[in-house]
Amino acid sequence: MSLRSLFRRYRTPLTSYDGHIIYYNWWNKQPVNEIWFSTFLHNRDYTKRFPKARFVFFSSLGNINLLRLDTLAHPFSHNRKHLYFNGENNHHPNFAPYLHNLLDYRSIDLSLGFDYTDDPRYLRFPLWLLEMFPPKSTEQDIKRICDQLSHQQWDASARSRFCALVSGNRGPNDPGAQRRTRLVGSLNTIASVDCAGKLLHNTDELKTKYNDNKAEFLKQYKFYICPENASVEGYVTEKVFHAIGSGCIPIYWGANGNPEPDVLNHDAILFWNPDGDNTGLLKQIEALQSNDKLYREFFEQPRLKNDVWQVITGYFNSLEKHIDNLFH
């Protein structure tokens, strides 16, 4: 079978932007000019500063043979840089080939993921950064976004509803669905939980009233159920940040109970333990639900750590430095 035939077999449709940026097996087959990394590269003039460069991005949503094939197809192209971004839990058996973030392949020039890994070709760059901070963000933009996330405006009349869940249904045997179902069942003993996703669906308001704008939908709720699909060190997705961004108090599980310790104020998060005794947590939620003064005190805690903008700016600066180093 020819290289061309193998490419067709293992990839989703290839897209490129100005001939400089290429993605294989990316999420949702987004147009390239809408992908976060494209804007980051163009905004910092990488394609102008290095006109011969080709940035080839891979994800974990396709066949790993694509990396080998691309390397074979361009054996002498020193300007072709291979970058890997992992937004999934690569510790799950389904992603076993990507367990080491492709660092076991010499042809990878830069690997980005959520793991804490000590390798000169690796940068920890978790998925939530792409969700919460636009790629053109300046230092002042980052400060402003962090301040908005950390200090929420109190409006008692707006948060008239108890708790929401927005989750897809992965089937009754999926561990994540089972955990969410048990959690909703426990919270329903306090007040009714509104489930706007496919899992335990009992309201159409997200679609009919809010046109699938989850952020606006959540602004009417006091609490938001936002556990990860797995509890792995460092694996933090956008879920808890969606809760914070909408002003809800997060009810969270994941990251071995230690999500983003340099970023999140854990005192402003309610931690659920699916394998333990949650009696104390349920009593706390019931007290917050029934006592506006207690809820407001909890609500008005800073959601993020002090000077967190420096941590976020550090991520941006580190990514820029790692890309610069590709050409030195």
Coordinates of all heavy atoms in Angstrom, one line a residue, residues 6-7 9-11 24-25 58-71 84 94-105 107-108:
L6 N -2.1 5.0 2.7 CA -2.1 4.8 4.2 C -2.6 6.1 4.9 O -3.3 6.0 5.9 CB -0.7 4.5 4.6 CG -0.2 3.0 4.3 CD1 1.3 2.9 4.6 CD2 -1.0 2.0 5.1
F7 N -2.2 7.2 4.4 CA -2.7 8.5 4.9 C -4.2 8.5 4.9 O -4.8 8.9 5.9 CB -2.1 9.7 4.1 CG -0.8 10.2 4.7 CD1 0.3 10.3 4.0 CD2 -0.8 10.8 6.0 CE1 1.5 10.8 4.5 CE2 0.3 11.3 6.5 CZ 1.5 11.3 5.8
R9 N -6.2 6.1 4.9 CA -6.8 5.1 5.8 C -6.7 5.5 7.2 O -7.7 5.2 8.0 CB -5.9 3.8 5.6 CG -6.4 2.7 6.5 CD -5.6 1.4 6.3 NE -6.0 0.3 7.2 CZ -5.4 -0.9 7.2 NH1 -4.4 -1.1 6.3 NH2 -5.7 -1.8 8.0
Y10 N -5.7 6.2 7.7 CA -5.5 6.5 9.1 C -5.9 7.9 9.5 O -5.9 8.2 10.7 CB -4.0 6.3 9.4 CG -3.6 4.8 9.4 CD1 -2.4 4.5 8.8 CD2 -4.4 3.9 10.0 CE1 -2.0 3.1 8.8 CE2 -4.0 2.5 10.0 CZ -2.8 2.2 9.4 OH -2.4 0.9 9.4
R11 N -6.2 8.8 8.6 CA -6.5 10.2 9.1 C -7.9 10.6 8.8 O -8.6 10.0 8.0 CB -5.6 11.2 8.4 CG -5.9 11.3 6.9 CD -5.1 12.5 6.3 NE -5.3 12.6 4.8 CZ -6.3 13.1 4.2 NH1 -7.3 13.6 5.0 NH2 -6.4 13.2 2.9
Y24 N -3.9 16.8 12.1 CA -4.3 15.4 11.9 C -5.2 15.0 13.0 O -4.9 15.1 14.2 CB -3.1 14.4 11.8 CG -2.3 14.5 10.5 CD1 -1.0 14.9 10.6 CD2 -2.9 14.2 9.3 CE1 -0.3 14.9 9.4 CE2 -2.2 14.2 8.1 CZ -0.8 14.6 8.2 OH -0.1 14.7 7.0
N25 N -6.4 14.5 12.7 CA -7.4 13.9 13.6 C -7.7 14.8 14.8 O -7.6 14.4 16.0 CB -6.8 12.6 14.2 CG -6.6 11.5 13.1 OD1 -7.4 11.5 12.1 ND2 -5.6 10.7 13.2
F58 N -0.7 16.8 15.9 CA -1.4 15.5 16.0 C -2.1 15.5 17.3 O -1.8 16.2 18.3 CB -0.3 14.4 16.1 CG 0.5 14.3 14.8 CD1 1.6 15.0 14.6 CD2 0.1 13.4 13.8 CE1 2.4 14.9 13.5 CE2 0.9 13.2 12.7 CZ 2.0 14.0 12.5
S59 N -3.2 14.8 17.4 CA -3.9 14.5 18.6 C -4.0 13.0 18.9 O -3.5 12.2 18.1 CB -5.3 15.2 18.6 OG -6.2 14.3 17.9
S60 N -4.7 12.7 20.0 CA -4.8 11.3 20.3 C -6.1 10.7 19.8 O -6.5 9.6 20.1 CB -4.8 11.1 21.8 OG -5.8 11.9 22.4
L61 N -6.8 11.4 18.9 CA -8.1 10.9 18.4 C -8.0 10.2 17.0 O -9.0 10.1 16.3 CB -9.0 12.1 18.2 CG -9.3 12.9 19.5 CD1 -10.3 14.0 19.2 CD2 -9.8 12.0 20.6
G62 N -6.8 9.7 16.7 CA -6.6 8.9 15.5 C -5.5 7.9 15.6 O -5.0 7.7 16.7
N63 N -5.2 7.3 14.5 CA -4.2 6.2 14.5 C -2.8 6.8 14.7 O -2.4 7.8 14.0 CB -4.3 5.5 13.2 CG -3.6 4.1 13.2 OD1 -2.4 4.1 13.4 ND2 -4.3 3.1 13.1
I64 N -2.0 6.2 15.5 CA -0.7 6.7 15.8 C 0.3 6.5 14.7 O 1.3 7.2 14.6 CB -0.1 6.0 17.1 CG1 1.0 6.7 17.7 CG2 0.3 4.5 16.7 CD1 1.4 6.2 19.1
N65 N -0.1 5.7 13.7 CA 0.7 5.5 12.5 C 0.9 6.7 11.7 O 1.8 6.8 10.9 CB 0.2 4.4 11.7 CG 0.4 3.0 12.3 OD1 1.5 2.7 12.8 ND2 -0.6 2.2 12.4
L66 N 0.0 7.7 11.9 CA 0.1 8.9 11.1 C 1.4 9.7 11.3 O 2.0 10.2 10.4 CB -1.1 9.9 11.5 CG -2.4 9.7 10.7 CD1 -3.5 10.5 11.3 CD2 -2.2 10.0 9.2
L67 N 1.9 9.6 12.6 CA 3.2 10.3 12.9 C 4.3 9.6 12.1 O 5.1 10.3 11.5 CB 3.4 10.2 14.4 CG 4.8 10.8 14.8 CD1 5.0 12.2 14.4 CD2 4.9 10.6 16.3
R68 N 4.3 8.3 12.1 CA 5.3 7.5 11.4 C 5.2 7.8 9.9 O 6.3 8.1 9.2 CB 5.2 6.0 11.6 CG 5.3 5.6 13.1 CD 5.3 4.1 13.1 NE 5.3 3.6 14.5 CZ 4.2 3.2 15.2 NH1 3.1 3.2 14.6 NH2 4.3 2.7 16.4
L69 N 4.0 7.9 9.4 CA 3.8 8.1 7.9 C 4.3 9.5 7.5 O 4.9 9.7 6.5 CB 2.4 7.9 7.5 CG 1.9 6.4 7.7 CD1 0.4 6.4 7.5 CD2 2.5 5.6 6.6
D70 N 3.9 10.5 8.3 CA 4.3 11.9 8.0 C 5.9 12.0 8.0 O 6.5 12.7 7.2 CB 3.7 12.8 9.0 CG 3.9 14.3 8.5 OD1 3.0 14.7 7.7 OD2 4.8 14.9 8.9
T71 N 6.5 11.3 9.0 CA 8.0 11.3 9.1 C 8.6 10.7 7.9 O 9.6 11.2 7.3 CB 8.4 10.6 10.4 OG1 7.8 11.2 11.5 CG2 9.9 10.8 10.5
Y84 N 2.4 17.6 19.3 CA 1.3 16.8 19.8 C 0.6 17.5 20.9 O 1.3 18.0 21.8 CB 1.9 15.4 20.3 CG 0.9 14.6 21.0 CD1 -0.2 14.0 20.4 CD2 1.0 14.4 22.4 CE1 -1.1 13.2 21.1 CE2 0.1 13.6 23.1 CZ -0.9 13.0 22.4 OH -1.8 12.2 23.1
N94 N -8.1 3.0 26.2 CA -8.4 3.4 24.9 C -7.3 4.3 24.2 O -7.2 4.3 23.0 CB -9.7 4.1 24.8 CG -10.9 3.2 25.0 OD1 -10.8 2.0 25.0 ND2 -12.1 3.8 25.2
F95 N -6.5 4.9 25.1 CA -5.5 5.8 24.6 C -4.1 5.3 24.9 O -3.1 6.1 25.0 CB -5.7 7.2 25.2 CG -6.9 7.9 24.8 CD1 -8.0 7.9 25.6 CD2 -7.1 8.4 23.5 CE1 -9.2 8.5 25.3 CE2 -8.3 9.0 23.1 CZ -9.4 9.1 24.0
A96 N -4.0 4.0 25.1 CA -2.7 3.4 25.5 C -1.5 3.8 24.6 O -0.4 4.0 25.1 CB -2.8 1.9 25.6
P97 N -1.6 3.9 23.3 CA -0.5 4.2 22.5 C 0.0 5.6 22.8 O 1.2 5.9 22.4 CB -1.0 4.1 21.0 CG -2.2 3.2 21.1 CD -2.8 3.5 22.5
Y98 N -0.8 6.5 23.4 CA -0.4 7.9 23.7 C 0.0 8.1 25.1 O 0.0 9.2 25.6 CB -1.6 8.8 23.3 CG -1.9 8.7 21.8 CD1 -2.9 7.8 21.3 CD2 -1.2 9.5 20.9 CE1 -3.2 7.7 20.0 CE2 -1.5 9.4 19.5 CZ -2.5 8.5 19.1 OH -2.8 8.5 17.7
L99 N 0.2 7.0 25.9 CA 0.4 7.1 27.3 C 1.5 8.1 27.6 O 1.5 8.9 28.6 CB 0.7 5.7 27.9 CG 1.1 5.7 29.4 CD1 0.0 6.2 30.2 CD2 1.5 4.3 29.8
H100 N 2.6 8.1 26.8 CA 3.8 8.9 27.1 C 3.8 10.2 26.3 O 4.8 10.8 26.1 CB 5.0 8.1 26.9 CG 5.1 6.9 27.7 ND1 5.2 6.9 29.1 CD2 5.1 5.5 27.3 CE1 5.2 5.6 29.5 NE2 5.2 4.8 28.5
N101 N 2.6 10.6 25.8 CA 2.4 11.9 25.1 C 3.4 11.9 23.9 O 3.9 13.0 23.5 CB 2.7 13.1 26.0 CG 1.7 13.2 27.1 OD1 0.5 13.4 26.9 ND2 2.1 13.0 28.3
L102 N 3.6 10.8 23.2 CA 4.4 10.6 22.0 C 5.9 11.0 22.2 O 6.6 11.1 21.3 CB 3.8 11.4 20.9 CG 2.5 10.9 20.3 CD1 2.2 11.6 19.0 CD2 2.4 9.4 20.1
L103 N 6.3 11.1 23.5 CA 7.7 11.4 23.8 C 8.6 10.3 23.5 O 9.8 10.4 23.4 CB 7.9 11.9 25.2 CG 7.2 13.2 25.5 CD1 7.2 13.5 27.0 CD2 7.9 14.4 24.8
D104 N 8.1 9.1 23.3 CA 8.9 7.9 22.9 C 9.1 7.9 21.4 O 9.8 6.9 20.9 CB 8.2 6.6 23.4 CG 6.7 6.6 23.3 OD1 6.1 7.6 22.8 OD2 6.1 5.7 23.8
Y105 N 8.7 8.9 20.7 CA 9.0 9.1 19.3 C 9.9 10.2 19.1 O 9.6 11.4 19.4 CB 7.7 9.3 18.5 CG 6.8 8.0 18.4 CD1 5.9 7.8 19.4 CD2 6.9 7.1 17.4 CE1 5.2 6.6 19.4 CE2 6.1 6.0 17.3 CZ 5.3 5.8 18.4 OH 4.5 4.6 18.3
S107 N 10.7 11.8 16.5 CA 10.3 12.8 15.5 C 9.3 13.9 16.1 O 9.1 14.9 15.5 CB 9.6 12.1 14.4 OG 8.5 11.3 14.8
I108 N 8.9 13.7 17.4 CA 8.0 14.7 18.0 C 9.0 15.8 18.5 O 9.9 15.5 19.3 CB 7.2 14.1 19.2 CG1 6.0 13.4 18.6 CG2 6.8 15.2 20.2 CD1 5.0 14.3 18.0

